[in-house]
Amino acid sequence: MSTITSGVNWFEVGTDRPEETGRFYTDLFGWAFGEQGTPEASYRVTEAGPAGSIQGAIRDTGGASPNYAIFYVQVADVTDAARRAEAAGGKVLVPPRSNDNGLTFAHLADPVGNHFGVYAPPPGA
């Protein structure tokens, strides 16, 4: 039996209608959102559910990409995870990149097309 080294601990809903999407999840699950983005790049973070639930956010795509909902797996090395995903028959949908805070992420697809993400926290976090 192998040892699990990475876990799902973040989700993201990308939408061109963040206000409506946020209201939906608030009405459905009682989630509250706090803005952590900028007026140009809204990123509304929530603690989704009771203790032990994973956290997530609604990201305003501004219509620049299709709407989506994905989970993220924390990994030690995003570039290596992308390489291993391709070697295992998957695809890299969004190549590894870092945000202004130093968080590195990529969007991947498994061999049947399911979209998911991987990320590594900023150095020293």
Side-chain angles (χ1 to χ4, degrees):
M1 178 187 263
S2 66
T3 301
I4 296 173
T5 60
S6 302
V8 174
N9 58 9
W10 191 259
F11 70 88
E12 183 176 271
V13 177
T15 178
D16 57 351
R17 299 188 326 234
E19 291 289 335
E20 180 181 346
T21 303
R23 275 193 308 275
F24 172 81
Y25 288 107
T26 296
D27 292 348
L28 183 61
F29 299 125
W31 294 355
F33 294 90
E35 181 65 60
Q36 290 191 0
T38 66
E40 300 80 30
S42 177
Y43 202 72
R44 301 158 190 229
V45 176
T46 185
E47 289 193 21
S53 296
I54 65 170
Q55 292 183 310
I58 293 175
R59 183 178 78 81
D60 184 357
T61 66
S65 68
N67 293 337
Y68 62 87
I70 64 173
F71 64 88
Y72 281 85
V73 177
Q74 184 175 342
V75 297
D77 184 326
V78 172
T79 300
D80 182 58
R83 181 194 56 74
R84 290 186 296 113
E86 288 183 316
K91 294 181 182 176
V92 175
L93 303 174
V94 175
R97 60 180 69 171
S98 296
N99 69 13
D100 293 341
N101 297 326
L103 180 134
T104 304
F105 67 95
H107 288 196
L108 309 173
D110 67 20
V112 298
N114 294 306
H115 185 168
F116 66 99
V118 293
Y119 81 96

